[in-house]
């Protein structure tokens, strides 16, 4: 399965902060926002990833992440010169995805919680239809609300309904089979000239090939696209790291746990950041993993 991160858009909801900085590079507590979207795909076992951003954002992201080799990844980049909807990401990523299954995550979405890696790896096995991830919310009228049958099959998606049919909101994470690109190419843009990912999902719903997996009760999901949500998710990450002693969306640790890199490679990555607490954490994780490996050997 291929991966796509849509980190485009002009970030108008975060002006003036994003007037000179890509939203994807804004700090979410101790790391750039793009780390959180990347971590989702990596935990699903996806290593071949396309990052889509603005013409100004692409060089900045490339400067941060490079070609991904240090993390055992293959990263490529593409521009979305003008925001024309999240569904356009599949058209822009057509050459990258080809006819392979593809996972799309919106760059300002943050996921965390027990059991999440297992859900993601199961989703990455999708080869027929589409699979969305949902989260029960207290204010569903603010989101795209999912209606499901008793088997978890997705029956409808309604954007910001005045009378929601459920409390299950669709998040910005989607797993598709190999038909997604052609479906997106065949869509008619809205009156605003945009291709919406909701329309791609609707095509799968009409074909009876759409499902949605509710995140567990202890899983958290944030759309970090506003000042309040950005503050809220930063506070959450800080709390988790202080209380549990683990780093949310630590790409080096995830790469190590997934077997993308060795403990030695992980330690070297931490050394490069050694004067920061983040870098020291990466080195500790690498040393602990190496010690366990030597004991097991």
């Amino acid at each position: 399965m291929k991966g796509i991160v849509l980190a485009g858009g002009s970030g108008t909801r975060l002006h003036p902060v994003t007037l000179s900085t890509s939203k994807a590079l804004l700090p979410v507590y101790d790391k750039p926002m793009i780390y959180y979207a990347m971590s989702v795909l990596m935990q699903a076992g996806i290593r071949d990833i396309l990052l889509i951003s603005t013409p100004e954002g692409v060089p900045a992201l490339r400067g941060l992440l490079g070609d991904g080799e240090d993390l055992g990844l293959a990263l490529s980049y593409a521009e979305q010169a003008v925001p024309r909807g999240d569904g356009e990401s599949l058209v822009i990523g057509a050459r990258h995805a080809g006819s392979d299954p593809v996972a799309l995550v919106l760059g300002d979405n943050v996921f965390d919680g027990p059991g999440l890696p297992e859900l993601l790896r199961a989703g990455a096995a999708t080869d027929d239809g589409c699979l969305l991830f949902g989260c029960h919310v207290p204010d569903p009228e603010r989101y795209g609300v999912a209606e499901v049958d008793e088997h978890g099959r997705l029956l409808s998606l309604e954007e910001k309904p005045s009378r929601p049919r459920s409390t299950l909101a669709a998040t910005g994470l989607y797993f598709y089979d190999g038909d997604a690109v052609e479906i997106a190419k065949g869509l008619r843009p809205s009156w605003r000239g945009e291709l919406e990912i909701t329309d791609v999902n609707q095509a799968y719903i009409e074909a009876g090939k759409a499902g949605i997996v509710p995140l567990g009760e202890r899983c958290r999901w944030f759309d970090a696209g506003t000042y309040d949500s950005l503050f809220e998710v930063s506070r959450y990450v800080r709390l988790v790291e202080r209380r549990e002693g683990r780093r949310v969306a630590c790409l080096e640790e995830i790469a190590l746990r997934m077997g993308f890199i060795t403990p030695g490679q992980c330690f070297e990555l931490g050394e490069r950041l050694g004067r920061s607490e983040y870098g020291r954490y990466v080195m500790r994780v690498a040393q602990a993993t190496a010690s366990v490996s030597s004991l097991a050997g």
Side-chain angles (χ1 to χ4, degrees):
M1 176 172 272
K2 303 288 182 62
I4 296 177
V5 179
L6 179 57
S10 55
T12 54
R13 290 186 295 171
L14 291 169
H15 281 176
V17 176
T18 51
L19 285 174
S20 61
T21 302
S22 169
K23 180 171 69 172
L25 297 180
L26 292 180
V28 178
Y29 187 49
D30 58 352
K31 62 192 73 71
M33 187 185 294
I34 193 66
Y35 274 42
Y36 295 87
M38 289 281 295
S39 74
V40 171
L41 299 181
M42 291 173 64
Q43 289 178 88
I46 299 170
R47 304 173 73 170
D48 193 350
I49 300 171
L50 173 70
L51 294 101
I52 300 174
S53 190
T54 63
E56 300 78 21
V58 165
L61 288 174
R62 186 181 281 114
L64 174 68
L65 298 167
D67 61 7
E69 184 178 2
D70 287 348
L71 293 169
L73 307 175
L75 300 183
S76 53
Y77 301 84
E79 294 181 1
Q80 186 184 43
V82 179
R84 294 194 178 96
D86 44 15
E88 191 188 30
S89 58
L90 293 172
V91 178
I92 295 172
R95 180 177 296 182
H96 170 74
S99 58
D100 292 332
V102 60
L104 168 65
V105 60
L106 304 186
D108 56 6
N109 275 226
V110 175
F111 299 84
D112 184 56
L116 181 62
E118 290 76 17
L119 287 177
L120 295 173
R121 286 194 285 272
T126 298
D127 60 3
D128 185 28
C130 79
L131 185 67
L132 280 62
F133 289 79
C135 182
H136 286 284
V137 296
D139 48 357
E141 64 278 356
R142 295 178 51 213
Y143 304 94
V145 175
E147 180 186 11
V148 300
D149 64 15
E150 64 274 15
H151 303 294
R153 186 171 56 192
L154 187 58
L155 300 177
S156 70
L157 276 174
E158 188 176 6
E159 289 295 324
K160 299 180 180 179
S162 56
R163 295 183 178 180
R165 298 179 182 179
S166 77
T167 61
L168 187 62
T171 70
L173 175 62
Y174 318 91
F175 287 80
Y176 297 108
D177 63 15
D179 296 330
V181 168
E182 291 305 313
I183 289 174
K185 286 182 176 180
L187 292 176
R188 178 178 297 179
S190 70
W191 63 272
R192 294 179 296 183
E194 297 181 349
L195 291 177
E196 302 295 347
I197 202 68
T198 299
D199 294 331
V200 176
N201 297 333
Q202 185 60 37
Y204 280 102
I205 291 172
E206 292 174 1
K209 299 173 67 175
I212 186 166
V213 175
L215 298 173
E217 290 184 2
R218 295 173 59 199
C219 284
R220 299 295 304 272
W221 164 60
F222 301 87
D223 175 355
T226 67
Y227 292 120
D228 286 344
S229 59
L230 192 59
F231 174 76
E232 183 182 0
V233 67
S234 294
R235 185 171 59 178
Y236 167 80
V237 172
R238 179 180 183 273
L239 184 63
V240 167
E241 296 185 359
R242 292 289 183 90
R243 286 187 175 179
E244 300 181 19
R246 66 178 176 90
R247 298 260 162 179
V248 179
C250 177
L251 299 189
E252 296 84 358
E253 180 178 15
I254 294 169
L256 177 61
R257 303 295 188 209
M258 295 298 297
F260 300 167
I261 60 176
T262 66
Q265 291 170 319
C266 184
F267 186 86
E268 183 178 338
L269 292 176
E271 265 191 321
R272 297 180 193 175
L273 306 168
R275 296 190 66 180
S276 70
E277 180 52 41
Y278 182 94
R280 290 192 288 272
Y281 173 83
V282 171
M283 288 189 285
R284 288 197 299 271
V285 167
Q287 289 174 320
T289 303
S291 297
V292 170
S293 299
S294 62
L295 290 174

